[in-house]
């Protein structure tokens, strides 16, 4: 196998290859093709017809084998089914290639640990694809987020046959699990979760309540049997209230105006404050994202990490932490379902 330095001449842009050309891999191919500062070295998929279609659609080279793709790339994006993440990642790592692996990073924490150990031993970087970290609304809201006390998320999607091999917790809720871990930054000390299988054999709608060390609480809801598509995140903290529409890329930050102390009881109209009364003490700060495509920002961060310009924003350890918590939620849901069935019999 060629070393990374064999993949390109001095001064040539680093090469990124895409493994897997399904619903997400094809978008990685499109973004990598157009991303400044890198070359898309090609795509590979065991489904030759699908990779040929994607290659023709985006004008990228279709590689005949994974070994050929690795031999011409400095790093690879792994967008194959979750059950194959470890196998592909270990081959890439053994070849000395940097790896970007989509979420969930592995089917279980044991596999995630093996991947992390291999990357560390080989001296290559590993980044995990939690794309919501790059949502323009969240990026714009970062200056206003400060030690959340209560977080509520709703991630609802219409039914689609995609990803029915995994439950909704690992398909959708894991996005918000990762965001919570990054925002709160403390271990989870308590959990309650429930879910229902509606249109598939796996859980299609789930709710989880998490308690963090230090007192923060979060309530997460994820569904793939919704009529409407909803991606909202609400954060309450001592400095105010942040409401984000992640689908629209915008939100608001509400905070008490300077010079007003809620604890001292400001002068308000009689009875329950009207909107006018609230406006007299609360300032609304619009949050507007820059419109950047999250996937493009995410791959740009992988490019920069490969070049040594910045550490990976979502490390293998970050991906493992989100996976472990999502699996714990899933296990609690399965226990709840089993108990419910036993009680009904």
């Amino acid at each position: 196998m060629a070393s990374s330095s064999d993949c390109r001449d001095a001064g040539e842009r680093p090469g990124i290859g895409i493994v897997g050309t399904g619903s997400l891999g094809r978008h990685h191919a499109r973004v990598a093709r157009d991303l400044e500062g890198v070359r898309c070295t090609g795509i590979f998929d065991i489904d030759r017809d699908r990779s040929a279609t994607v290659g023709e659609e985006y004008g990228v080279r279709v590689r005949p084998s994974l070994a050929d793709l690795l031999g011409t790339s400095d790093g690879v994006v792994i967008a194959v089914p979750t059950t194959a993440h470890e196998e592909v990642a270990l081959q890439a790592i053994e070849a000395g290639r940097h790896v970007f692996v989509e979420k969930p990073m592995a089917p279980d924490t044991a596999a995630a640990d093996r991947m992390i150990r291999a990357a560390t031993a080989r001296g290559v970087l590993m980044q995990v694809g939690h794309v919501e970290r790059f949502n323009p609304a969240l990026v714009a809201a970062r200056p206003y987020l400060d030690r959340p006390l209560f977080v509520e998320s709703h991630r609802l999607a219409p039914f689609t046959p995609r990803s029915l091999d995994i439950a909704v917790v690992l398909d959708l809720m894991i996005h918000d699990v990762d965001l919570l871990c990054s925002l709160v930054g403390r271990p989870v000390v308590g959990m309650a979760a429930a879910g229902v299988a509606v249109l598939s054999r796996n859980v299609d709608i789930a709710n989880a309540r998490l308690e963090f060390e230090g007192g923060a609480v979060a309530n997460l809801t994820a569904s793939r049997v919704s009529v409407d598509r909803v991606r909202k995140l609400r954060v309450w903290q001592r400095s105010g209230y942040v409401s984000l529409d992640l689908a629209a890329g915008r939100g608001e930050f509400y905070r008490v105006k300077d010079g007003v102390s809620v604890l001292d009881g400001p002068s308000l109209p009689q009875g329950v404050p009207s909107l006018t009364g609230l406006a007299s003490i609360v300032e609304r700060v619009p949050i507007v994202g820059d419109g950047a495509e999250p996937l493009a920002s995410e791959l740009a961060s992988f490019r920069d990490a490969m070049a040594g310009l910045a550490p990976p924003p979502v490390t293998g350890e970050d991906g493992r932490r989100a996976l472990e918590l999502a699996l714990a939620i899933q296990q609690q849901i399965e226990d709840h379902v089993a108990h419910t069935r036993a009680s009904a019999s």
Side-chain angles (χ1 to χ4, degrees), residues 1 7 15-20 40-45 61-77 88 97:
M1 181 64 64
C7 296
I16 294 180
I18 314 298
V19 188
C40 179
T41 56
I43 57 177
F44 170 73
D45 196 307
R61 183 169 179 176
V62 178
R63 297 289 178 174
S65 66
L66 177 58
D68 184 69
L69 182 69
L70 294 176
T72 56
S73 305
D74 299 281
V76 292
V77 172
V88 176
R97 306 301 181 246

Side-chain angles (χ1 to χ4, degrees), residues 11 18 24 36 48 57 61 63 81 105 112 119 137 187 189 225 229 242 253 259-260 271 299 312 316 328 332 338:
I18 314 298
L24 189 53
E36 291 186 7
R48 300 300 178 87
E57 180 179 6
R61 183 169 179 176
R63 297 289 178 174
M105 68 176 294
V189 296
V225 288
R229 188 178 300 277
V242 177
F253 176 45
V260 177
L299 276 190
Q332 185 139 141

Side-chain angles (χ1 to χ4, degrees), residues 276-341:
T276 302
L278 286 174
S280 69
I281 64 170
V282 174
E283 175 187 12
R284 174 184 175 275
V285 180
I287 296 173
V288 182
D290 62 5
E293 182 181 1
L295 191 63
S297 300
E298 185 178 46
L299 276 190
S301 73
F302 181 53
R303 173 202 64 198
D304 294 345
M306 287 173 54
L309 300 177
V314 187
T315 64
E317 289 76 11
D318 293 333
R320 186 202 186 280
R321 179 178 58 183
L323 173 65
E324 182 178 33
L325 184 50
L327 288 173
I329 293 171
Q330 178 62 26
Q331 184 61 56
Q332 185 139 141
I333 290 174
E334 291 175 0
D335 293 344
H336 177 265
V337 170
H339 176 72
T340 302
R341 288 174 177 169

